[in-house]
Amino acid sequence: MNVFDAVLLDRDGTLIEDVPYNGDPALVRPMPGARAALDRLRGTGLRLGVVTNQSGLARGRFGAEQLELVNARVEELLGPFDTWQVCPHDDTDGCRCRKPRPGLVHAAAAALGTTAERCVLVGDIGRDMAAALAAGATGILVPTAVTLPAEVAAAPAVAPDLTSAADLILRRDELHPTGPHRAHTAGTVLVVRPDSVGDVLVTGPAIRTVAAAAGRVALLCGPRGRAAAELLPGVDEIVEWPLPWIDPAPDPVDPAATAALVGRLAALGADEAVVFTSFHQSPLPTALLLRLAGVGRISAISDDYPGSLLDVRHRVPSGVPEAERALSLAAAAGFPPRPGADLRLRIREVPDAPERGPYVVVHPGASVPARACPPGVSARIVAALAAAGHRVLVTGSTAEKQLTAEVAGSAGVDLGGTFGLADLAGLLAAADCVVVGNTGPAHLAAAVGTPVVSLYAPTVPFGQWAPYRVPLVRLGDAAAHCRDSRAAVCPIGGHPCLAGVDPAAVVAAVELLSAGRPA
């Protein structure tokens, strides 16, 4: 498997019917389709584990021997599991393992010889999804009658039953075939990602797979993504050009400028091109220019009929994380990831931190206004973190200096306009945690492996655009009316999806992520 090594499953309500505080093996009833779904997963070589809260032990509702008998009955009915991870504590015990804390996920991953980010956790309630995200794992929610609507709205992925969850897991891996691998070529491959910082960063794993087989990689990007392009491993040359069919504030199409771009692309002498886009963008205008520039082979994801513009027309189902969407295109173009490859976001080199730790970073701005937390809320978050004993650094661009000064107030350290993207990467890498909306610095934090408290405006799907394979906590109203609207400016007065974020919840999220790191 390329994407996952293991599937972790909650027990009660996911594998078997939920009988509160059950210590009787005779009451074990598998969920519909559970055995067949698990056998399909086993048949692919995936390892399976159970991660379950069992506070009945702490409360004296059953003993350890009864728990073992119940678990043995589960295996008798559903087949063997490669690891069982049980939290015996109550909510009041303050342990590291009880979900929504990520301890069980980390323990299961270690027992299975892998890491949390290469695991998917299937569960039936929000605690399961929170534990998965806090560990950096993938979460799939299979709702039951007890699942809250808010938990369904906030989940990174939802499946109606275990059969469908298995389908989703296997389909995501099938998008990344492992071979045969292309022979190394001395030619130039042009990769295209003409968008913003976050878009370029999430395409990084796919660009690395192309670079593994190409003699040389050139990247066509826009001005808003140039700084991120300079950080990506595997890129040998950068061509910066604003594309009016991609840029959110485009200039009119200029025939002379278009002709100049065609000439610039022709001068690269690229043997082929891979055009990466977001799920709502078309690659076909870019493909037309590449044809005019003489590029012989062009690959892209396109739902629209491409005519002769594409040699490889790839399609991806909705809901796939953007990093995996790009990886699947690279694989379709003949550049699959190596088995067990590191699929996380990465940068070339992490600079030294320009500030001494420990500290928490709050980044209040966003490239799209609808995704930014209201300044007053951000200021209260900074004050709450400082009151909890954290040193809080507030970051932003030169254009955001007024915002960062307001948010930092007297409780935080205002670093607005101080750092370029590379230095910001060093600052984020040394942070305990980053509090940020769904914008470029969230993906930069993922690229340097720093946990994220994601103040996520649901204008774009969380499952596609959440920080990829990094520990995180999602906050904000996932069911707000702006959901999936792709709005650039908040269409609802008062910005309700983020205006209601409780600063105390941010403090708790930072503590959860700090305490949840594996020893």
Side-chain angles (χ1 to χ4, degrees), residues 5 39 46-47 54 60 82 171 201 216 304-305 323 326 336 348 360 376 395 397 431 479 493 501 513:
D5 292 329
D39 285 345
L46 281 164
R47 286 157 282 172
Q54 293 297 328
D82 299 294
R171 184 165 63 245
L201 289 170
R216 184 168 167 271
D304 298 323
Y305 172 64
R348 286 180 186 270
V360 173
T395 59
S397 67
V501 171
L513 292 172

Side-chain angles (χ1 to χ4, degrees), residues 410-436:
S410 60
V413 179
D414 178 16
L415 297 178
T418 304
F419 304 119
L421 196 67
D423 286 332
L424 179 61
L427 188 80
L428 298 183
D432 293 336
C433 189
V434 180
V435 181
V436 61

Side-chain angles (χ1 to χ4, degrees), residues 183-500:
H184 190 277
T185 174
T188 295
V189 178
L190 173 66
V191 294
V192 181
R193 190 61 208 247
D195 223 315
S196 63
V197 163
D199 303 290
V200 173
L201 289 170
V202 299
T203 312
I207 293 173
R208 295 201 306 268
T209 70
V210 173
R216 184 168 167 271
V217 172
L219 170 60
L220 171 62
C221 68
R224 294 180 304 124
R226 173 64 185 256
E230 292 174 349
L231 300 180
L232 290 186
V235 176
D236 300 297
E237 180 178 355
I238 296 173
V239 177
E240 178 188 325
W241 210 283
L243 301 185
W245 50 93
I246 297 291
D247 199 278
D251 291 328
V253 175
D254 182 346
T258 302
L261 175 57
V262 170
R264 178 70 178 88
L265 295 175
L268 286 173
D271 302 282
E272 63 179 289
V274 184
V275 183
F276 296 103
T277 51
S278 289
F279 68 101
H280 59 279
Q281 297 171 340
S282 171
L284 299 185
T286 307
L288 175 60
L289 298 191
L290 293 171
R291 283 288 187 235
L292 295 175
V295 177
R297 185 175 188 267
I298 304 173
S299 304
I301 297 171
S302 181
D303 291 323
D304 298 323
Y305 172 64
S308 60
L309 295 180
L310 299 179
D311 299 284
V312 177
R313 179 194 185 188
H314 184 51
R315 295 188 179 185
V316 181
S318 61
V320 176
E322 286 287 304
E324 290 179 24
R325 187 175 184 272
L327 280 160
S328 76
L329 173 58
F335 303 100
R338 307 291 180 180
D342 183 359
L343 303 184
R344 293 171 292 180
L345 309 192
R346 285 288 177 264
I347 62 175
R348 286 180 186 270
E349 182 179 357
V350 179
D352 292 335
E355 293 281 336
R356 290 175 178 259
Y359 54 80
V360 173
V361 171
V362 173
H363 188 91
S367 56
V368 175
R371 302 179 198 167
C373 191
V377 176
S378 295
R380 290 193 290 276
I381 288 171
V382 170
L385 287 168
H390 297 281
R391 182 171 180 245
V392 186
L393 310 183
V394 181
T395 59
S397 67
T398 301
E400 295 170 329
K401 291 180 70 173
Q402 183 175 345
L403 170 65
T404 60
E406 176 184 351
V407 170
S410 60
V413 179
D414 178 16
L415 297 178
T418 304
F419 304 119
L421 196 67
D423 286 332
L424 179 61
L427 188 80
L428 298 183
D432 293 336
C433 189
V434 180
V435 181
V436 61
N438 44 317
T439 190
H443 303 294
L444 186 61
V448 297
T450 299
V452 176
V453 177
S454 179
L455 308 179
Y456 197 91
T459 53
V460 292
F462 179 73
Q464 290 179 234
W465 281 106
Y468 188 62
R469 293 198 166 192
V470 68
L472 70 100
V473 173
R474 178 185 186 174
L475 296 177
D477 183 0
H481 291 303
C482 64
R483 183 181 173 97
D484 297 337
S485 67
R486 301 210 307 263
V489 177
C490 183
I492 304 167
H495 206 14
C497 66
L498 295 177

